[in-house]
C-alpha cells in the first residue's frame, strides 16, 4: 500500500462531495461515512443496512467488532452522515440484510478496488495531486478531528496506536506545527 496523506483543505473535501453527489448517492455516502468516522475500508464495505437502521431511523452509533482484538467499538454517526444515509436509504429499496454499499451488479458490497477508484477518480477530478484512496478517508477523519480539538488519546484508541507520536505521524501532523485550538465550551 502506498503512503497517503489526509485531505487537509475543506474546499477540496466539499468539491469531492459535489462530484460524488452528481455521480451517485452511494458513492457520496461512502466518502462522507469514511471522513466522518475513520472506519477502515474493510469495515465500511461490510456494513449492512440493519447495522445502521433500526427500522424507523438511523442509529446513533455503529458497532463494529475488531477481528484482530475481538473488541467491539462504537462509532458515532454524526448529522452529516445521518443526512446522507437517510437520502440514500429513501431512494433505494433495501432489505435489512443488504450491504449498505451494495454493488450495482450483485447483492455483494462493492470491492475495495471499486471503492478506491471511486474516491481516487473524484480526487483527480478536483485536481488533488496527491495519491488519494480509501485510506485517505481514515487519515482525513483523524487530521480534522485533531485540528478541532479531539484529544490525541482518543484518536490513538480509534487507530489502535501505542503512542501519540505514532498517531500524529499517521494523521499527517508535524509535531513542530503549532496551531490554535478553540476550546469553545459555551455553557
Amino acid at each position: 500500500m502506498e503512503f497517503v496523506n489526509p485531505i487537509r483543505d475543506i474546499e477540496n473535501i466539499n468539491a469531492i462531495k459535489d462530484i460524488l453527489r452528481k455521480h451517485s448517492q452511494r458513492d457520496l455516502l461512502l466518502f462522507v461515512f469514511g471522513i466522518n468516522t475513520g472506519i477502515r475500508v474493510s469495515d465500511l464495505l461490510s456494513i449492512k443496512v440493519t447495522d445502521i437502521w433500526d427500522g424507523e431511523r438511523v442509529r446513533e452509533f455503529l458497532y463494529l467488532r475488531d477481528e484482530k482484538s475481538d473488541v467491539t467499538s462504537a462509532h458515532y454517526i454524526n448529522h452529516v452522515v445521518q443526512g446522507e444515509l437517510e437520502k440514500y436509504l429513501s431512494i433505494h429499496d433495501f432489505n435489512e440484510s443488504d450491504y449498505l454499499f451494495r454493488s450495482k451488479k450483485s447483492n455483494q458490497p462493492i470491492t475495495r478496488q471499486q471503492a478506491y477508484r471511486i474516491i481516487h477518480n473524484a480526487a483527480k477530478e478536483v485536481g488533488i495531486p496527491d495519491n488519494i484512496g480509501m485510506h485517505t478517508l481514515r487519515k482525513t477523519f483523524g487530521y480534522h478531528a485533531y485540528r478541532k480539538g479531539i484529544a490525541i488519546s482518543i484518536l490513538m484508541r480509534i487507530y489502535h496506536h501505542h503512542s501519540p507520536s505514532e498517531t500524529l505521524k499517521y494523521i499527517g501532523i508535524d509535531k513542530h506545527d503549532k496551531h490554535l485550538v478553540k476550546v469553545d465550551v459555551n455553557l
Side-chain angles (χ1 to χ4, degrees):
M1 174 173 29
E2 290 184 46
F3 180 80
V4 294
N5 285 311
I7 303 169
R8 291 175 171 86
D9 187 344
I10 298 291
E11 288 180 17
N12 283 340
I13 290 172
N14 288 331
I16 290 171
K17 285 181 186 179
D18 289 341
I19 287 167
L20 293 172
R21 187 174 284 112
K22 291 174 190 167
H23 182 259
S24 155
Q25 184 65 30
R26 180 199 67 193
D27 297 352
L28 173 62
L29 178 61
L30 178 69
F31 180 73
V32 168
F33 217 121
I35 65 172
N36 281 282
T37 62
I39 295 172
R40 291 184 183 107
V41 63
S42 57
D43 290 331
L44 274 173
L45 298 180
S46 69
I47 297 171
K48 293 195 173 188
V49 171
T50 192
D51 296 331
I52 52 85
W53 184 255
D54 71 5
E56 294 180 21
R57 64 184 64 84
V58 173
R59 296 180 192 280
E60 187 175 18
F61 288 91
L62 169 66
Y63 294 93
L64 296 172
R65 189 177 62 77
D66 186 271
E67 299 284 327
K68 294 177 189 174
S69 65
D70 201 32
V71 173
T72 299
S73 57
H75 299 271
Y76 177 64
I77 307 300
N78 70 18
H79 72 281
V80 174
V81 177
Q82 285 181 12
E84 297 303 338
L85 268 166
E86 288 168 357
K87 286 179 203 168
Y88 180 57
L89 293 171
S90 73
I91 59 176
H92 295 286
D93 188 24
F94 284 104
N95 293 317
E96 286 184 352
S97 61
D98 286 342
Y99 287 100
L100 185 62
F101 299 107
R102 185 173 62 190
S103 169
K104 293 174 183 166
K105 298 175 185 173
S106 72
N107 285 331
Q108 295 301 306
I110 60 174
T111 64
R112 292 173 68 100
Q113 294 80 9
Q114 180 63 21
Y116 168 82
R117 278 192 296 273
I118 290 165
I119 301 308
H120 182 78
N121 291 341
K124 273 177 49 178
E125 195 172 330
V126 167
I128 298 173
D130 297 339
N131 185 25
I132 301 293
M134 288 303 296
H135 205 67
T136 302
L137 307 184
R138 193 163 156 81
K139 290 185 174 194
T140 299
F141 162 78
Y143 176 84
H144 288 282
Y146 180 75
R147 288 290 190 210
K148 290 184 177 189
I150 299 300
I152 196 70
S153 59
I154 293 171
L155 295 173
M156 283 173 53
R157 196 169 347 121
I158 290 169
Y159 293 128
H160 303 286
H161 289 166
H162 300 290
S163 70
S165 61
E166 179 184 12
T167 302
L168 289 170
K169 181 178 178 183
Y170 179 80
I171 63 175
I173 301 288
D174 182 348
K175 60 184 169 194
H176 303 294
D177 214 8
K178 300 289 182 216
H179 75 282
L180 299 174
V181 175
K182 292 180 183 177
V183 179
D184 192 11
V185 177
N186 286 319
L187 297 175

